Amino acid sequence: MNNATTEELFRQDATRTECQATVLAVGEGGVVLDRTVFYPLGGGQAGDSGWLVLEGGTRMAIADTRKEKAEDGSFTGRISHLPAPDQGDALSKLKIGDTVTARIDAPRRQRLMRFHTTSHLLCHLVGKPVNGCSITPDYARVDFHMTEPLDKEALTDGIARLVAAALPVTVGSVTDAELDANPQLIKSMSVQPPRGSGTVRTIRIGGDGDAAPIDLQPCGGTHVANTAEIGAVVVTKIEKKSATTRRVVLGFGATPG
């Protein structure tokens, strides 16, 4: 087995939609590449779908993307691209060492990024710990640990205001020590940021110059570069899931004009 890991190009540039890559492994677990623009399921965000274009021009449809796991369940540092069920012929043409073009479904990714960044705006607007979330191309939901009621219209208005403010969304990092010294940066109760490399990736919204960001938290997901790119996203439902959980569901709103 080739022990090389997958270079995660989406971490620093979420706008990149394709790349050239070399096949590291092919099998029942999918296709592992040495580098990829495909985001794997994690942190509440769905995995990317798209295509691998083989050297002869054959297009293999990729239905999902996952982090590869070893037999003991630990992550290997490699990313597996899972072909759609009807892609057996294309899969049979692939072998280790082949060069492919990895190309994501860009409109689908854009919807995921719009929802994911909006979920961070909700963290600012609600101001309570998060105990679960799901980011899909069609809707998103965020569960907040709280007992107070939430107002659907007020949250929708707040999102619209922050979208209109055109706030920059930037990728950064903090050291493990800085995160330990500032535990309030961790908004999620259910997902802890990965440690071990010495630094943790962060997403900052706003905070140009000396201004404080409206939101700063560890996050490995993909995001728009500016809140203006979110467009029309609204709160479609608020549910009381338990005595201490309020669920906020997001959907796409009508685009003016």
Side-chain angles (χ1 to χ4, degrees):
M1 175 179 171
N2 189 326
N3 292 320
T5 57
T6 303
E7 182 184 359
E8 300 175 340
L9 300 176
F10 53 83
R11 296 292 185 197
Q12 288 300 322
D13 185 3
T15 66
R16 187 168 179 174
T17 59
E18 67 176 65
C19 68
Q20 297 292 114
T22 301
V23 176
L24 298 180
V26 184
E28 292 183 0
V31 181
V32 178
L33 304 175
D34 68 334
R35 61 206 301 261
T36 191
V37 291
F38 281 69
Y39 178 85
L41 171 73
Q45 181 175 327
D48 277 325
S49 61
W51 303 269
L52 298 184
V53 184
L54 283 55
E55 290 174 308
T58 299
R59 291 196 349 155
M60 179 192 300
I62 298 300
D64 199 0
T65 311
R66 300 293 179 96
K67 297 175 183 177
E68 186 186 62
K69 289 185 178 180
E71 291 184 1
D72 64 0
S74 63
F75 293 115
T76 65
R78 292 153 45 116
I79 292 175
S80 186
H81 307 73
L82 308 181
D86 60 352
Q87 298 298 295
D89 287 345
L91 190 62
S92 68
K93 297 178 182 178
L94 264 188
K95 62 183 184 300
I96 293 173
D98 282 355
T99 298
V100 299
T101 298
R103 182 178 299 148
I104 63 170
D105 181 335
R108 180 179 181 275
R109 161 71 77 78
Q110 185 67 15
R111 296 195 298 272
L112 287 163
M113 294 196 300
R114 290 169 63 191
F115 275 142
H116 202 154
T117 305
T118 305
S119 74
H120 284 219
L121 297 182
L122 276 178
C123 289
H124 165 73
L125 292 169
V126 176
K128 300 292 184 179
V130 173
N131 61 6
C133 72
S134 177
I135 312 295
T136 82
D138 303 311
Y139 72 91
R141 60 169 175 77
V142 185
D143 294 342
F144 291 98
H145 183 70
M146 61 188 300
T147 57
E148 306 93 313
L150 290 169
D151 184 273
K152 185 168 70 172
E153 285 71 27
L155 288 179
T156 292
D157 290 345
I159 291 169
R161 173 174 51 82
L162 295 170
V163 169
L167 301 168
V169 181
T170 54
V171 177
S173 65
V174 294
T175 65
D176 288 349
E178 288 172 329
L179 192 58
D180 290 338
N182 296 276
Q184 74 278 4
L185 293 178
I186 302 175
K187 309 295 174 65
S188 174
M189 299 168 61
S190 55
V191 179
Q192 288 298 305
R195 298 171 184 263
S197 66
T199 60
V200 176
R201 182 180 186 265
T202 59
I203 295 295
R204 173 191 296 264
I205 302 178
D208 277 347
D210 295 330
I214 68 156
D215 189 73
L216 171 63
Q217 60 178 293
C219 182
T222 58
H223 290 266
V224 297
N226 189 288
T227 60
E229 297 174 36
I230 291 172
V233 170
V234 300
V235 175
T236 61
K237 186 188 300 184
I238 293 176
E239 300 175 285
K240 181 179 179 180
K241 299 303 293 183
S242 74
T244 58
T245 301
R246 298 294 181 272
R247 172 170 293 178
V248 180
V249 182
L250 298 170
F252 292 120
T255 302

